[in-house]
């Protein structure tokens, strides 16, 4: 049972379904007449090749005749397989049609979200403000913490009694029901108080170095006995280093807000 609760961002996934993209590319190519050859008489759309080339370049591969030949061969093989699947009537099967519909949905959702983010850029001022807010919330210290987590207040009181009698915290931690720390003497490592659930954090901030809580601490996970091993100055990344992550988080929040607004307006019966 983990007591540390990381910050969570709720957002709709940005789904990019590559298998659906060639179908759109093929339709566009057929309309424009652009083709890079045929497979059993069916055109190979040039923009399919460019689509796959762009994906390869995004992975760091330079444009070259060899790469284009490999991409063209991949598209030919895909088309051969698609034609064979259609010949067998697989595209008419309900489960296959459902998967194709879901793939199409994914492409459209991704296109909408990309367009929305592009039309609503996050300003540097907004990123800077969020950075300063996070800095103020985290404070200027981080804490090295141990804990023992048990099911009942009486169990926690019994552990505190043993600590007062001179028993070692590390040894008593084997009774903890937190599998992530019980075999490490209850060690939770270094972190800031906001990493923990509120009752845990509130109790931690009242401790001095080397102290443990003499009253059991109740949280949603059970009853804790908490010990503060040490503190040190918190070293945060600079603004420029943190900017991309903060910007992405603000974009995700913006998208989630838009999704919720659309959901609220939707007529669902």
């Amino acid at each position: 049972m983990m007591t540390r609760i990381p910050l969570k961002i709720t957002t709709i996934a940005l789904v990019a379904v590559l298998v659906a993209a060639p179908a759109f590319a093929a339709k566009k190519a057929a309309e424009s007449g652009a083709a890079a050859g045929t497979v059993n008489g069916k055109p190979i759309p040039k923009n399919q090749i460019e689509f796959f080339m762009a994906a390869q370049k995004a992975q760091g591969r330079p444009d070259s005749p060899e790469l284009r030949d490999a991409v063209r061969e991949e598209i030919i093989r895909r088309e051969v397989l698609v034609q064979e699947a259609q010949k067998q009537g697989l595209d008419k099967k309900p489960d296959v049609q459902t998967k194709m519909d879901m793939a199409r949905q994914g492409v459209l959702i991704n296109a909408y979200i990309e367009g929305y983010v592009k039309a609503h850029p996050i300003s540097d001022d907004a990123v800077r403000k969020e950075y300063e807010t996070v800095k103020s919330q985290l404070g200027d210290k981080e804490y090295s913490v141990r804990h023992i987590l048990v099911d009942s207040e009486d169990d926690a009181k019994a552990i505190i009694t043993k600590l007062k009698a001179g028993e070692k915290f590390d040894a008593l931690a084997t009774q903890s029901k937190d599998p992530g720390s019980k075999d490490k003497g209850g060690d939770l490592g270094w972190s800031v108080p906001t990493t923990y659930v509120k009752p845990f954090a509130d109790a931690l901030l009242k401790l001095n170095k080397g102290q443990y809580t003499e009253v059991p601490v109740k949280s949603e996970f059970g009853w804790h006995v908490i010990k503060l091993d040490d503190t040190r100055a918190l070293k945060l990344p600079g603004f420029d280093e943190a900017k991309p992550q903060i910007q992405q988080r603000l974009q995700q929040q913006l998208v989630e807000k838009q999704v919720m607004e659309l959901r609220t307006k939707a007529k669902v019966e």
Side-chain angles (χ1 to χ4, degrees), residues 208-229:
N208 293 318
K209 180 179 175 180
Q211 285 186 325
Y212 57 83
T213 51
E214 296 187 10
V215 175
V217 178
K218 177 88 164 61
S219 81
E220 61 195 90
F221 301 105
W223 293 86
H224 306 263
V225 180
I226 305 165
K227 181 183 178 186
L228 174 60
D229 280 348

Side-chain angles (χ1 to χ4, degrees), residues 146-211:
R146 296 178 186 272
H147 86 135
I148 301 171
L149 177 66
V150 291
D151 288 320
S152 72
E153 183 178 13
D154 287 341
D155 289 342
K157 286 180 177 179
I159 289 171
I160 292 169
T161 299
K162 291 178 181 178
L163 287 170
K164 289 180 177 180
E167 294 194 37
K168 299 297 184 182
F169 197 97
D170 292 21
L172 293 171
T174 57
Q175 302 175 39
S176 178
K177 67 173 190 174
D178 179 359
S181 67
K182 64 179 295 183
D183 295 328
K184 298 185 295 183
D187 188 14
L188 294 172
W190 289 92
S191 70
V192 295
T194 52
T195 306
Y196 302 99
V197 292
K198 191 175 187 306
F200 191 106
D202 289 345
L204 172 61
L205 289 171
K206 295 176 183 177
L207 296 175
N208 293 318
K209 180 179 175 180
Q211 285 186 325

Side-chain angles (χ1 to χ4, degrees), residues 90-104:
L90 298 180
D91 57 325
K92 302 297 191 297
K93 294 182 64 176
D95 61 328
V96 175
Q97 289 182 341
T98 298
K99 291 176 183 178
M100 291 171 67
D101 289 341
M102 295 299 292
R104 181 176 181 276

Side-chain angles (χ1 to χ4, degrees), residues 31-55:
E31 292 171 350
S32 65
T38 63
V39 178
N40 296 326
K42 186 172 181 179
I44 302 172
K46 284 183 179 178
N47 53 0
Q48 273 195 22
I49 293 178
E50 295 307 319
F51 175 87
F52 281 102
M53 284 298 298

